[in-house]
Amino acid sequence: MNFLQGFFLNHLVSSKTVPASPQADLHLDLDKPIVYALKTLSSSDLLTLQRACRDLGLPDPLTPMTINGQTITRYVCLNMPKQLFSSTPRKAYQDQFKTLLNLHQGDSEIDVQLVPVTLFWGRAPGYEGHKPWFSILKASSPNWINKAFTILFRGRDNLIRFSKPISLQRLNRDYGDDPNLATKLEKIAYTHFARQKLAAKGPKLPDRNKMRRALLASNEIHQAIVKASQEQGISLAQAEQKATHYLNEIASDFSYPMVRFGDKVLTWIWHRIYQGIVVNNAETVRNLAQKCHEIVFLPCHRSHMDYLLLSSVIYQQGMTPPHIAAGVNLNFFPAGPIFRRGGAFFIRRTFKGNPLYASVFKAYLSYLFSKGYSLEFFTEGGRSRTGRLLPAKTGMLGMTIEAMQQSPNRPIALIPVCLGYDHVMEVATYVKELQGQKKQKESFLQVLSITKKLGNFGQGFVNFGEPILLNQFLDQVQPQWREQGDLTLSPEFSHTINQLGRSVMTGINNAAAVNALPLCSLVLLASKRHTLSKEQLLTQVSAYLVLLKQVPYSQQVSLPSGEANNDNAGGAIGGAQALLDSALSLNKFHIYQDSLGDIISIAADQSMLLTFYRNNIIHLFALPALMTSLVQHYDGITLDQLQAKLNQVYPLIQAELFLPWNAEEMWQQGRAYLQQLVQLGWINQQDDATNPDSSSYRINPNLRTQAYLLANIIDETIQRYHIVLSLLQSPTQIELASLAKQSTQVAERLGQIHGIRAPEFFDQKVLQVFIEQLQQQAYIDEAGNINPASLGELHQLTRQLLSDEVLWTIEHTIDNQYRQASS
């Protein structure tokens, strides 16, 4: 019988295991006994699990094991299949948990790992109030007829979810005196499987017509309809018709068959254009979903691929695909209906002047939260054209907090997500837009044109960041929020929501993916002619890998495959060579050969394109680059002097690049960077015998090139700062409203003369962030008056960090501006 079942399963069943590597991800110890816990005893489930375990290198669940002379099975099941004409599940092995626990009594050497395994045959959640079209597929403890039809119709949609193992030795040690321990363990297992089902399938989907009627009848929308009728001079029926139109425009029409079909299509595309999709830290999100948290995914936005890739990865990782807030610009035929059935709901760019639309949207968002659906939206609003994170737009975050207050019993977890690519197909378009070309409106023809660009895109990266538990965040930032009623009306809310936005963007940067093209671009763009010998490039890349490994930026940053375990320079050199080979395969660099070896360079027409990729990871090196620049320009600088100057500049860079450390943490991290740079030999440390804290530092003249390349990473940022500070120091007081525009003009001239091609260098939005930070740091007051002493000191510091050629260009350009304005 098992032979025949195995034969049919091999032809009818296609399984995906989550996580993909249970041994590594769940820290399974193969030297200890493993017992698999399943919900229902089923030979087809066991054979499917057996095949998966064989592929994963895990113990065979059908091979018994012997412990202390007692032979036991490698699996336990909570239920037996239902009898043919019965609806009541039957207990399987009531004494099996007790048997496993008894093995550990008096023998501390035995430690059985109990691994819960959930098998899903299809993941359609169904619809509220609808009976399944084929109820035989819906049995919770299926008999053989149920299972036969399930395999026939859903065998190609099988998911096997391995969960974190339970140490029975530890359980026995902590609770072995409880005579009801086995029963409690069994109850815990039932709860676990119920939560696994909810996490993988999600709540049932709404009937769209019933949802529409319920929302239109809600008090919030009804009041908005009445108000719109009065203000616009239209009838209630006409106002309700408008509200209905808005709701139809907004609401998703989630379809599981569309999700499955989309997953197959997207998987084919990923295999076609990417060498692999690397996913990190998904287990943390799965555990939160299992604990009944409302999950809100907050990814960065660098490409139209983002929402497709993230939804695909979430589904592939065994979680419920989210409802996605998409710009209404994507609601065009035929993409709009497809996206809508894939979970997208559409949102206009602004709600201003349309309170009825705002009320309808907020009511719909609250409805999604109340039902427990996971959500996804892009806090930047639109795609970043420069590769850097944009400041958070806090509107959706504010509505999330409003929705949370209406459903306070369900905890909300915000998940920052960093999406990284070796190649983004829109980069060339971004450069044209930054140079003044009008943004193209999305259309079906534009989508078709993208398919022509499908090719070698290297790797894609999806890194889930550290979750932000919204209740805990509010407890820290606004402790009295529970007693304040409507939190959005409190005077502290503006500060709270802005801090939440910064925390989200910082969390995204904390989960950055270090991959081939960004790292090689970072090194080459820091060289004056964007050209290095192959040996120089490999040396610099390997040193940066060592720096990232020895002084971690955060626990969520992902290093290239294999680099996490490379603790020495030799290993880093090998990793650098692999990275360079990968980057070269993308055809972004030129290779010249002479009698001394290879020379690698960036062509002039590629330099601006490659700044996009560099900017994905520039924040990881901002602090060590700034420290190296200070040591370079202040020869013999002491620790106290270094700390004082960092304290001046760091808050400004922190705001621009969403760096994670406060002043105290920054100095601890900075000292670790400094020590590592000393170990690399780039910086020399001269100790003071009488006072170890008075050691002085200077660039090692024998390795000055490596140190200068690191310092140059932050050079363009300091140049932008100095432009703004110089304008503020000019004889004529400049209006703050025009400061960013005038700074942009100077930056454009500086870029033309010195060949600076970075698009963010003359991006008015980036300059505006710096100006706002000057106000927050009290260099400028609300009236636009400067603090001459502190601003002058900061101006002199940035001046010291720049070359004479750059300083002359800035000063000469500003003088010309001043003369033209005077005339």
Side-chain angles (χ1 to χ4, degrees), residues 724-736:
V724 176
L725 296 170
S726 297
L727 284 168
L728 288 170
Q729 297 277 77
S730 62
T732 304
Q733 184 175 3
I734 296 177
E735 296 290 334
L736 285 183

Side-chain angles (χ1 to χ4, degrees), residues 470-481:
L470 193 52
N471 285 12
Q472 294 182 13
F473 175 86
L474 292 174
D475 287 340
Q476 294 173 359
V477 177
Q478 202 167 333
Q480 305 302 320
W481 68 273

Side-chain angles (χ1 to χ4, degrees), residues 12 26 28 56 62 66-67 113 171 190 230-231 379 385 438 483 569 580 591 662 679 746 748 768 781:
L12 296 176
L26 302 177
L28 294 177
L56 295 168
L62 297 181
T66 301
I67 299 177
Q113 301 168 96
L171 198 66
Y190 274 112
Q230 295 170 347
E231 292 180 347
T379 49
R385 267 60 177 174
K438 188 176 180 181
E483 292 79 35
L580 179 57
I591 304 176
N662 60 31
Q679 290 185 18
V746 178
E748 288 175 343
Q768 189 62 46
D781 64 21

Side-chain angles (χ1 to χ4, degrees), residues 110-151:
I110 299 174
D111 188 7
V112 172
Q113 301 168 96
L114 186 65
V115 181
V117 181
T118 315
L119 283 87
F120 298 97
W121 299 91
R123 292 162 58 191
Y127 288 87
E128 290 180 338
H130 287 198
K131 291 184 178 180
W133 67 273
F134 200 7
S135 59
I136 200 168
L137 300 179
K138 290 291 183 178
S140 60
S141 297
N143 56 44
W144 66 270
I145 294 180
N146 297 129
K147 208 49 172 282
F149 278 98
T150 297
I151 292 172

Side-chain angles (χ1 to χ4, degrees), residues 401-474:
I401 291 178
E402 286 186 72
M404 181 203 69
Q405 289 186 289
Q406 296 181 26
S407 303
N409 294 328
R410 186 173 176 85
I412 294 178
L414 308 180
I415 311 295
V417 186
C418 184
L419 302 169
Y421 306 90
D422 275 331
H423 178 85
V424 173
M425 64 178 64
E426 301 104 318
V427 166
T429 303
Y430 294 164
V431 171
K432 293 176 183 177
E433 290 177 10
L434 289 166
Q435 292 174 333
Q437 187 180 93
K438 188 176 180 181
K439 179 181 180 293
Q440 283 186 305
K441 185 178 180 180
E442 285 79 4
S443 66
F444 181 57
L445 292 177
Q446 187 184 17
V447 173
L448 287 179
S449 68
I450 288 176
T451 61
K452 299 178 183 179
K453 303 177 183 179
L454 298 182
N456 175 21
F457 285 4
Q459 288 185 308
F461 299 83
V462 179
N463 288 357
F464 296 97
E466 184 69 22
I468 301 171
L469 304 182
L470 193 52
N471 285 12
Q472 294 182 13
F473 175 86
L474 292 174

Side-chain angles (χ1 to χ4, degrees), residues 637-819:
I637 191 171
T638 65
L639 283 177
D640 288 342
Q641 293 170 335
L642 184 58
Q643 184 178 11
K645 296 184 186 306
L646 282 173
N647 285 339
Q648 281 185 275
V649 184
Y650 173 75
L652 305 169
I653 295 177
Q654 179 189 26
E656 179 178 329
L657 297 179
F658 302 103
L659 303 183
W661 313 289
N662 60 31
E664 182 179 348
E665 294 166 341
M666 177 274 294
W667 182 234
Q668 293 175 353
Q669 185 80 3
R671 292 196 67 166
Y673 281 132
L674 186 62
Q675 188 59 40
Q676 187 59 43
L677 292 171
V678 169
Q679 290 185 18
L680 285 171
W682 295 4
I683 293 177
N684 287 336
Q685 176 180 348
Q686 185 174 350
D687 294 329
D688 186 330
T690 60
N691 185 2
D693 289 335
S694 297
S695 299
S696 60
Y697 297 87
R698 49 181 44 88
I699 299 297
N700 181 352
N702 298 321
L703 298 175
R704 66 170 64 89
T705 299
Q706 289 94 315
Y708 289 176
L709 285 172
L710 177 59
N712 286 349
I713 290 174
I714 206 68
D715 197 45
E716 291 173 3
T717 301
I718 301 299
Q719 291 174 23
R720 278 190 285 106
Y721 291 178
H722 191 72
I723 289 171
V724 176
L725 296 170
S726 297
L727 284 168
L728 288 170
Q729 297 277 77
S730 62
T732 304
Q733 184 175 3
I734 296 177
E735 296 290 334
L736 285 183
S738 62
L739 179 57
K741 182 178 179 180
Q742 292 190 48
S743 300
T744 301
Q745 294 171 349
V746 178
E748 288 175 343
R749 171 61 66 89
L750 183 64
Q752 287 293 330
I753 292 175
H754 293 276
I756 300 170
R757 305 280 290 167
E760 77 278 359
F761 188 73
F762 37 82
D763 186 349
Q764 197 163 315
K765 293 178 182 178
V766 175
L767 288 163
Q768 189 62 46
V769 169
F770 174 64
I771 294 168
E772 291 172 0
Q773 194 61 25
L774 287 176
Q775 292 176 288
Q776 291 186 24
Q777 297 292 322
Y779 289 102
I780 310 172
D781 64 21
E782 294 181 359
N785 301 311
I786 67 170
N787 183 329
S790 60
L791 192 73
E793 188 178 346
L794 181 61
H795 180 255
Q796 286 302 314
L797 174 56
T798 57
R799 179 185 179 85
Q800 183 68 28
L801 298 181
L802 300 181
S803 67
D804 291 339
E805 296 86 352
V806 168
L807 287 171
W808 186 88
T809 303
I810 293 174
E811 292 168 1
H812 182 71
T813 305
I814 291 176
D815 285 344
N816 285 341
Q817 268 190 342
Y818 174 65
R819 284 195 295 270

Side-chain angles (χ1 to χ4, degrees), residues 297-566:
F297 297 97
L298 303 173
C300 59
H301 201 8
R302 289 168 178 156
S303 169
H304 278 315
M305 281 288 189
D306 293 342
Y307 32 81
L308 299 175
L309 179 61
L310 182 55
S311 291
S312 175
V313 164
I314 290 170
Y315 181 75
Q316 289 285 331
Q317 291 294 320
M319 294 178 279
T320 309
H323 284 65
I324 309 164
V328 74
N329 58 304
L330 295 176
N331 190 18
F332 58 87
F333 183 84
I338 294 173
F339 290 157
R340 196 183 296 276
R341 293 181 71 78
F345 60 96
F346 294 97
I347 180 173
R348 296 183 180 181
R349 291 291 182 187
T350 179
F351 297 173
K352 289 182 179 178
N354 197 340
L356 179 58
Y357 179 88
S359 296
V360 170
F361 184 84
K362 289 180 181 179
Y364 177 72
L365 191 66
S366 295
Y367 176 85
L368 294 179
F369 276 109
S370 69
K371 292 295 183 179
Y373 303 123
S374 60
L375 271 72
E376 172 191 331
F377 57 84
F378 297 93
T379 49
E380 294 169 283
R383 291 168 293 161
S384 169
R385 267 60 177 174
T386 66
R388 292 181 174 212
L389 292 185
L390 303 174
K393 294 186 176 180
T394 56
M396 286 290 289
L397 289 174
M399 285 185 276
T400 299
I401 291 178
E402 286 186 72
M404 181 203 69
Q405 289 186 289
Q406 296 181 26
S407 303
N409 294 328
R410 186 173 176 85
I412 294 178
L414 308 180
I415 311 295
V417 186
C418 184
L419 302 169
Y421 306 90
D422 275 331
H423 178 85
V424 173
M425 64 178 64
E426 301 104 318
V427 166
T429 303
Y430 294 164
V431 171
K432 293 176 183 177
E433 290 177 10
L434 289 166
Q435 292 174 333
Q437 187 180 93
K438 188 176 180 181
K439 179 181 180 293
Q440 283 186 305
K441 185 178 180 180
E442 285 79 4
S443 66
F444 181 57
L445 292 177
Q446 187 184 17
V447 173
L448 287 179
S449 68
I450 288 176
T451 61
K452 299 178 183 179
K453 303 177 183 179
L454 298 182
N456 175 21
F457 285 4
Q459 288 185 308
F461 299 83
V462 179
N463 288 357
F464 296 97
E466 184 69 22
I468 301 171
L469 304 182
L470 193 52
N471 285 12
Q472 294 182 13
F473 175 86
L474 292 174
D475 287 340
Q476 294 173 359
V477 177
Q478 202 167 333
Q480 305 302 320
W481 68 273
R482 287 181 173 85
E483 292 79 35
Q484 292 176 335
D486 187 350
L487 182 59
T488 62
L489 300 179
S490 69
E492 303 93 345
F493 184 70
S494 176
H495 171 75
T496 297
I497 199 66
N498 287 331
Q499 189 165 342
L500 179 59
R502 287 193 296 272
S503 296
V504 169
M505 307 317 289
T506 301
I508 292 173
N509 264 351
N510 282 353
V514 180
N515 45 315
L517 190 61
L519 194 55
C520 292
S521 299
L522 180 81
V523 175
L524 286 170
L525 287 168
S527 60
K528 285 192 176 181
R529 298 185 62 186
H530 302 164
T531 302
L532 291 171
S533 70
K534 181 179 179 180
E535 290 74 16
Q536 287 176 313
L537 179 55
L538 287 173
T539 298
Q540 203 73 11
V541 169
S542 64
Y544 289 175
L545 291 173
V546 170
L547 192 65
L548 290 168
K549 177 64 176 68
Q550 297 301 323
V551 189
Y553 182 90
S554 79
Q555 294 302 313
Q556 287 75 44
V557 168
S558 65
L559 300 182
S561 178
E563 285 309 310
N565 297 318
N566 278 342

